[in-house]
Amino acid sequence: MRFTDTRLEPIWDKARAGERLERRDGLTLLETDDLLGVGRLADHVKSEREGDRVYFVINRHITPTNLCVLSCSFCGFARKPGEAGSYEHTIEDMVGMVKDDMREVHIVGGHHPDWPFEYYERMIAAIHAARPEVQIKAFTAAEIDYFWRRWKIEPVEALTRLKKAGLHSMPGGGAEIFSRRLQKLLHFTGKADADRWCEIHGIAHSLGIKTNATMLYGHVETMEERVDHLLRLREQQDKSGGFITFIPLSYQTGTTKLVPRQTPPTDDLRTIAASRLLLDNFPHIEAYWVMIGEATASLALHFGASDVNGTLEDEKIAHMAQAASPAGLATEQILRIVRDAGKIPVERDALYNVVKVWS
């Protein structure tokens, strides 16, 4: 393989040999002008693992409330009580949102000032009772930490009780970017920090709860901070081993406007590729079409991504931050994203059990 940037050649040697990349390798991947070279490296690693298979799930989002005690600078979703656009769903509302054909329901929301922990427990139990065949992926590590801050329920107790109620797995949100500098600058010090976020995922893994991981990029972080975030995730996976998918989340400028415009598709592709190459112990890297758009998601399937999430009916968090993508995609559109890249669509459940290979 030839590269216009010779610094990629030793990285290619490591990739072929299955050797772990170092911090300086990660910085090279994010800083080089040879974007296509980075893409070829990541595509090689992904293809060695999965061939031409790309996964998706028939799923929907449920966002119980956008009321939140936090005031994170990057968030266009949260509202305060009484503020225009604020809402709260009842458990009955949420049960009614889960339809017959769904494999997964994804539940994340604001840090509600008053809902007791038992409300969340009843929420999971009610959905599980009504739709026992649907896998429930719910509550970020930041939310689990908030249950402790607000109600003094330790994460191990919270997760044990939620699993008993019907929880199958956890989403990866709330990680934002693992940087004390950015925690202060972007006003999310009231949220689980890197140590706490990793601790909670480690507890989930010890209880047999598989989880995802994320990184919010494309705002005021540095490339060094991106690499350090990825390496911290890799370190946690070495310890506890329960992460399934890493999902890079492209910051939506919306009304918060930390930067004048959204990061370009080239940065999305580069970040996905670098993630595939650095996170050697993560089974999957996702091209999250909600935040990067359908066209870029399709291209990303040549840059190391092996998953496009799913149909995601009624996604609210990115769309309240004015994401340009549609609020949900029919299965046919998901299939087109995958097939346009020349890949094979594989329908899965929340835990990557294969439901159907679409020829």
Side-chain angles (χ1 to χ4, degrees):
M1 198 181 288
R2 294 187 176 276
F3 303 98
T4 59
D5 183 346
T6 56
R7 293 180 301 164
L8 294 179
E9 290 172 5
I11 298 177
W12 169 231
D13 291 338
K14 286 183 180 180
R16 276 189 300 177
E19 291 178 21
R20 176 160 277 188
L21 301 190
E22 299 170 21
R23 186 175 189 267
R24 66 177 181 221
D25 298 323
L27 287 171
T28 298
L29 293 169
L30 290 173
E31 291 170 351
T32 179
D33 290 332
D34 190 358
L35 176 63
L36 293 179
V38 172
R40 291 204 311 277
L41 282 167
D43 191 52
H44 168 81
V45 169
K46 181 268 171 185
S47 298
E48 286 285 298
R49 291 167 165 268
E50 292 292 343
D52 284 332
R53 293 184 299 276
V54 171
Y55 297 85
F56 74 96
V57 62
I58 307 297
N59 63 345
R60 76 154 294 142
H61 265 214
I62 293 178
T63 313
T65 182
N66 62 351
L67 292 179
C68 191
V69 300
L70 300 174
S71 300
C72 306
S73 299
F74 52 80
C75 182
F77 163 75
R79 300 289 185 273
K80 299 302 179 191
E83 189 178 346
S86 63
Y87 73 89
E88 300 168 287
H89 287 314
T90 66
I91 290 174
E92 291 73 19
D93 290 338
M94 291 183 266
V95 169
M97 293 174 187
V98 186
K99 305 295 190 294
D100 284 339
D101 61 342
M102 290 170 182
R103 300 280 173 187
E104 171 196 288
V105 59
H106 178 123
I107 306 172
V108 296
H111 294 195
H112 193 284
D114 301 313
W115 281 354
F117 175 74
E118 289 74 17
Y119 186 83
Y120 297 90
E121 204 172 14
R122 290 200 308 273
M123 181 193 304
I124 299 299
I127 293 170
H128 182 60
R131 302 285 184 190
E133 73 284 359
V134 176
Q135 293 168 329
I136 301 171
K137 181 170 72 182
F139 311 131
T140 65
E143 289 169 279
I144 299 297
D145 178 60
Y146 179 63
F147 297 149
W148 177 81
R149 290 172 186 249
R150 182 70 178 84
W151 305 110
K152 291 295 177 270
I153 296 178
E154 291 287 350
V156 67
E157 181 189 347
L159 288 167
T160 300
R161 285 167 62 177
L162 290 168
K163 184 180 179 182
K164 186 177 179 184
L167 181 76
H168 289 88
S169 62
M170 274 175 65
E176 316 316 354
I177 191 101
F178 294 151
S179 159
R180 292 194 184 279
R181 177 185 80 86
L182 290 173
Q183 260 202 310
K184 292 177 182 174
L185 181 66
L186 301 181
H187 305 109
F188 61 99
T189 50
K191 199 180 236 183
D193 64 9
D195 290 344
R196 181 65 160 170
W197 190 96
C198 288
E199 177 195 358
I200 289 169
H201 279 267
I203 291 167
H205 299 166
S206 74
L207 295 171
I209 299 169
K210 298 289 188 182
T211 72
N212 291 340
T214 61
M215 175 179 71
L216 185 70
Y217 70 95
H219 45 88
V220 293
E221 84 285 2
T222 64
M223 293 302 170
E224 288 83 359
E225 285 166 331
R226 285 194 202 179
V227 172
D228 289 343
H229 184 104
L230 293 169
L231 295 182
R232 184 66 194 274
L233 290 175
R234 189 172 77 180
E235 178 188 337
Q236 183 59 46
Q237 180 76 325
D238 281 343
K239 290 177 183 173
S240 56
F243 290 117
I244 310 176
T245 310
F246 172 69
I247 307 150
L249 300 175
S250 180
Y251 165 70
Q252 310 294 299
T253 53
T255 56
T256 57
K257 296 195 182 303
L258 296 177
V259 287
R261 63 190 65 82
Q262 190 167 346
T263 200
T266 48
D267 190 33
D268 298 324
L269 297 173
R270 179 190 302 278
T271 304
I272 286 166
S275 302
R276 177 62 287 165
L277 290 159
L278 284 169
L279 295 177
D280 52 55
N281 52 8
F282 272 63
H284 298 284
I285 307 296
E286 186 175 293
Y288 189 40
W289 63 262
V290 170
M291 287 184 165
I292 63 176
E294 296 167 65
T296 304
S298 188
L299 275 172
L301 303 181
H302 291 283
F303 281 75
S306 57
D307 191 278
V308 291
N309 198 299
T311 48
L312 276 171
E313 184 182 337
D314 202 32
E315 194 285 331
K316 279 195 166 65
I317 293 174
H319 287 95
M320 288 187 75
Q322 301 177 12
S325 60
L329 285 184
T331 303
E332 292 72 23
Q333 289 169 281
I334 293 284
L335 295 174
R336 191 183 68 232
I337 288 172
V338 177
R339 287 170 175 157
D340 281 355
K343 305 294 185 181
I344 299 166
V346 179
E347 186 180 339
R348 62 170 174 86
D349 65 11
L351 300 174
Y352 284 82
N353 297 303
V354 173
V355 175
K356 177 180 179 178
V357 178
W358 292 73
S359 56

